[in-house]
Amino acid sequence: MSTLLFLHGVGGSHAVWDGQLPYFTARGHRAVAWDQPGYGGRPAVEPYDLERISAALRREIEALSAGPVVVVGHSMGGFIAQEGYARFPHLYKALVLCFTSAAFGGTGSEFARQFVAARIGPLDEGKSMADIAARLMPTMRGAKSAPGAIEQAEGVMAVVPPETYRKAVQLLTTFDRRAQLPGIRVPTLLIAGSDDRTAPASVMERMAARIPGAAFVSLAGCGHLGPMDQPEEFNEALRDFLERRAL
């Protein structure tokens, strides 16, 4: 059995994985959900960049004293999981990338500017994180969203510190590890949602094709909320991967 380390997205925290930790613990794994710096009461880092966030991830993995671990990253967590692999691959037993991509698009792109404006603009207008969550999270659900998924996602995002959210949104736009994909040498699974408009399944499938031996699963009717949107289906996909790879 393995140690599974779960990484959340930009509007998340360890609570995103409430539907996964007991499931995998009951099957003999050690399951841990990590709060990125600035989330869940953890102090932030300055500057808030990929180097320092991945360094914090390395410290977390080493503190587990478990040897190489299976890193499971959702959305922004998928970015950090890839960044960590690029910097310290010897600490990875396997890599699971969920509802994510290999790059954002660059800090200078029009898409990046529009993304930052859409996400940060409401804070500048005086909206609270709860206001933003109530507007944003329903747009990320899928056609087959589990009961309570939206309420869970909104509750998690509502308590993200605004200053952390601002920095994390900017952080997203600096990520690009596309060139790394062919060099990934650990068992890798990519999980997508057919209804995910943020990290489309077609993009993730092409990403999987560039990683040697990677497995790809698309969950029908699942949106970007992934492990909250379809916890049972998500858990089955991850469990099957772990069993097939004897992890």
Side-chain angles (χ1 to χ4, degrees):
M1 295 299 177
S2 300
T3 294
L4 312 180
L5 182 59
F6 294 88
L7 315 184
H8 62 79
V10 68
S13 75
H14 67 275
V16 165
W17 304 104
D18 284 353
Q20 284 66 53
L21 300 191
Y23 179 91
F24 288 101
T25 297
R27 283 155 180 79
H29 297 283
R30 183 184 181 191
V32 179
W34 182 57
D35 282 311
Q36 185 168 301
Y39 289 83
R42 286 185 182 246
V45 292
E46 291 296 342
Y48 204 89
D49 58 19
L50 290 168
E51 179 180 356
R52 284 159 184 78
I53 299 298
S54 58
L57 173 61
R58 178 171 188 157
R59 290 192 295 272
E60 180 72 14
I61 295 174
E62 291 175 339
L64 292 172
S65 300
V69 302
V70 178
V71 180
V72 183
H74 172 238
S75 192
M76 175 181 70
F79 287 9
I80 305 306
Q82 293 173 75
E83 189 69 22
Y85 182 82
R87 294 171 181 267
F88 37 88
H90 63 287
L91 295 180
Y92 281 60
K93 187 176 184 179
L95 181 59
V96 183
L97 302 173
C98 318
F99 314 93
T100 191
S101 62
F104 182 88
T107 55
S109 72
E110 181 62 26
F111 174 76
R113 286 191 291 272
Q114 291 177 357
F115 177 85
V116 171
R119 295 300 176 91
I120 301 302
L123 286 177
D124 295 336
E125 296 165 5
K127 302 293 186 183
S128 69
M129 288 301 298
D131 294 331
I132 296 172
R135 177 186 60 81
L136 183 62
M137 289 305 178
T139 70
M140 294 190 170
R141 73 186 304 169
K144 297 180 180 179
S145 187
I150 297 302
E151 291 78 8
Q152 179 189 3
E154 289 183 10
V156 171
M157 186 175 185
V159 298
V160 174
E163 61 274 18
T164 296
Y165 184 69
R166 288 177 180 274
K167 294 173 183 176
V169 167
Q170 294 285 353
L171 175 76
L172 296 179
T173 68
T174 68
F175 176 74
D176 187 344
R177 283 290 178 181
R178 287 173 290 188
Q180 169 189 295
L181 297 178
I184 294 176
R185 292 291 182 264
V186 292
T188 303
L189 168 66
L190 286 83
I191 304 178
S194 69
D195 294 358
D196 187 353
R197 296 183 296 276
T198 302
S202 58
V203 172
M204 290 202 68
E205 188 169 19
R206 291 195 296 272
M207 181 179 169
R210 297 189 61 202
I211 301 173
F216 171 77
V217 175
S218 179
L219 303 181
C222 187
H224 189 63
L225 299 179
M228 294 179 286
D229 219 30
Q230 291 190 5
E232 293 182 5
E233 293 83 350
F234 179 91
N235 290 349
E236 289 172 3
L238 179 52
R239 183 200 66 203
D240 180 65
F241 170 73
L242 296 172
E243 290 179 351
R244 284 188 293 104
R245 295 302 186 103
L247 294 167

